[in-house]
Amino acid sequence: MAKSMLSKSSKNKQGTVGVGYFEKWRRSISVKETSSILAHIQKQKHFNEREASRVVRDVAAALDFLHTKGIAHRDLKPENILCESPEKVSPVKICDFDLGSGVKLNNSCTPITTPELTTPCGSAEYMAPEVVEVFRDEATFYDKRCDLWSLGVVLYIMLSGYPPFVGHCGTDCGWDRGEVCRVCQNKLFESIQEGKYEFPDKDWAHISPEAKDLISKLLVRDAKQRLSAAQVLQHPWVQGQAPERGLPTPQVLQRNSSTMDLTLFAAEAIALNRQLSQREEDELAQSSESLAGGLCSVRLSPPCKSRLARRRALAQAGRSSDPEPCPTPAAL
């Protein structure tokens, strides 16, 4: 991929996923799309840690299967995690393998555990530090462990309603609406490469220590120290120790969605007002030009040459030439 600026979601194909003999796998990812995980959570009145842990379990199981075959998804994000049931958050399946790294397997199906990947791609907020480094020409390759970083970001959002790493230039550049902004992108990438994130007490005080522990072992800057998909499945929080404690995620997502809708509405209203104002100015300018053209086309003659002016001049001259009347006796 040409290393041009990334928008919030950027795609590029590198190979194809080898699914020729994966009939079982093919069936496992063929689901009737209901909604993505965050859209589904947003519609719920209640959502708790136990449900979030089941989502992580399903995604980790899918990644474990892929990774043992030497395949990296490379675009794991909430939009690519689909809920099977309209009533329940889990089970879920991952979809959209357009960016999946493809490998050829031999007849014995020997897995390739760490294929080297050289094309930086994916969605900006979910890109692992090593992918960012390849994008910035600071490294030459990365591997399937980038998917586990993305899973950590997804888990952080499921528990809080907002991402751990953000970048914004402070202007209405359109980055929040999916548009391209180099400054925002660089700020986001710097935040990801630093690998620094927080668990603010305001939002995380009631989140279990086990959930935070899992996140801290996924959002590890050094990919070699990051948990594997198989290790995620063995984590106590995924194994059933997640509490059924309610999370504010549905309300946060609804609020953020409403704010974004209002922002988009305001931007569209401003654009419409500008168009109307410009149209009024154009119409006024055209009217002025038409009036000026009409006046020029009348071509009025000077007042001294009009017939009325000549008649008045003749009448005035006649009155001036009349003799003065003789005085009457009464006037003497």
Side-chain angles (χ1 to χ4, degrees):
M1 180 180 79
K3 297 186 180 180
S4 57
M5 237 180 349
L6 288 178
S7 64
K8 295 192 82 176
S9 180
S10 178
K11 289 188 174 182
N12 180 60
K13 291 184 178 180
Q14 175 175 303
T16 57
V17 180
V19 295
Y21 73 99
F22 287 134
E23 290 307 322
K24 180 179 178 181
W25 176 43
R26 186 188 295 276
R27 289 194 297 271
S28 74
I29 64 173
S30 297
V31 298
K32 293 182 178 179
E33 179 176 351
T34 56
S35 61
S36 65
I37 183 63
L38 290 189
H40 199 90
I41 293 173
Q42 182 177 329
K43 297 175 184 177
Q44 305 300 309
K45 291 183 179 180
H46 304 286
F47 179 64
N48 59 53
E49 281 194 41
R50 181 70 59 82
E51 292 174 298
S53 72
R54 290 169 183 158
V55 172
V56 173
R57 177 199 62 197
D58 292 347
V59 174
L63 292 178
D64 183 46
F65 180 85
L66 293 173
H67 290 180
T68 58
K69 309 304 179 185
I71 300 171
H73 187 281
R74 299 201 297 180
D75 197 22
L76 186 65
K77 57 184 178 180
E79 292 85 346
N80 291 336
I81 301 175
L82 304 181
C83 302
E84 286 191 9
S85 170
E87 290 83 22
K88 298 183 298 182
V89 175
S90 62
V92 300
K93 300 294 173 80
I94 59 177
C95 68
D96 193 354
F97 290 81
D98 285 349
L99 299 181
S101 61
V103 296
K104 279 189 175 182
L105 302 180
N106 58 29
N107 294 332
S108 61
C109 300
T110 302
I112 303 176
T113 55
T114 54
E116 292 185 356
L117 307 173
T118 58
T119 301
C121 56
S123 300
E125 292 93 334
Y126 304 91
M127 290 175 67
E130 61 268 26
V131 182
V132 173
E133 289 176 358
V134 173
F135 180 83
R136 290 184 156 186
D137 288 324
E138 297 172 4
T140 57
F141 68 90
Y142 59 98
D143 60 43
K144 65 188 182 184
R145 288 172 290 195
C146 64
D147 289 339
L148 278 307
W149 173 280
S150 301
L151 179 58
V153 176
V154 172
L155 174 55
Y156 189 103
I157 295 174
M158 282 199 298
L159 297 180
S160 65
Y162 54 86
F165 306 101
V166 295
H168 203 289
C169 63
T171 66
D172 186 20
C173 60
W175 177 255
D176 290 335
R177 299 188 293 273
E179 300 176 13
V180 174
C181 175
R182 186 182 297 277
V183 177
C184 291
Q185 175 185 293
N186 288 337
K187 286 182 176 294
L188 173 63
F189 283 172
E190 288 171 2
S191 177
I192 291 173
Q193 285 185 288
E194 290 175 359
K196 295 180 180 178
Y197 59 92
E198 298 178 350
F199 294 124
D201 287 340
K202 173 176 170 287
D203 305 312
W204 290 83
H206 297 93
I207 304 297
S208 67
E210 292 79 10
K212 297 176 185 176
D213 178 73
L214 179 55
I215 291 174
S216 66
K217 291 178 179 177
L218 290 173
L219 298 182
V220 179
R221 193 181 181 285
D222 184 355
K224 295 179 181 179
Q225 303 299 321
R226 204 174 296 156
L227 289 184
S228 67
Q231 289 172 325
V232 171
L233 292 172
Q234 299 301 317
H235 192 277
W237 189 78
V238 177
Q239 284 284 315
Q241 295 186 17
E244 294 185 352
R245 184 181 297 126
L247 297 169
T249 311
Q251 292 73 32
V252 175
L253 293 175
Q254 291 167 12
R255 184 169 62 249
N256 291 343
S257 178
S258 299
T259 301
M260 181 169 289
D261 290 342
L262 288 173
T263 301
L264 292 174
F265 176 79
E268 292 173 356
I270 292 172
L272 178 60
N273 287 335
R274 287 175 178 171
Q275 292 177 356
L276 292 176
S277 299
Q278 186 62 44
R279 181 178 298 177
E280 290 176 357
E281 292 177 2
D282 293 342
E283 290 176 352
L284 181 60
Q286 292 176 359
S287 299
S288 300
E289 291 176 359
S290 299
L291 178 60
L295 291 175
C296 293
S297 63
V298 173
R299 294 186 179 180
L300 296 177
S301 58
C304 62
K305 294 184 179 181
S306 68
R307 292 181 180 180
L308 179 59
R310 288 201 296 270
R311 285 200 301 271
R312 287 178 176 175
L314 290 174
Q316 183 66 30
R319 285 196 297 272
S320 300
S321 60
D322 290 341
E324 294 183 0
C326 295
T328 62
L332 293 174

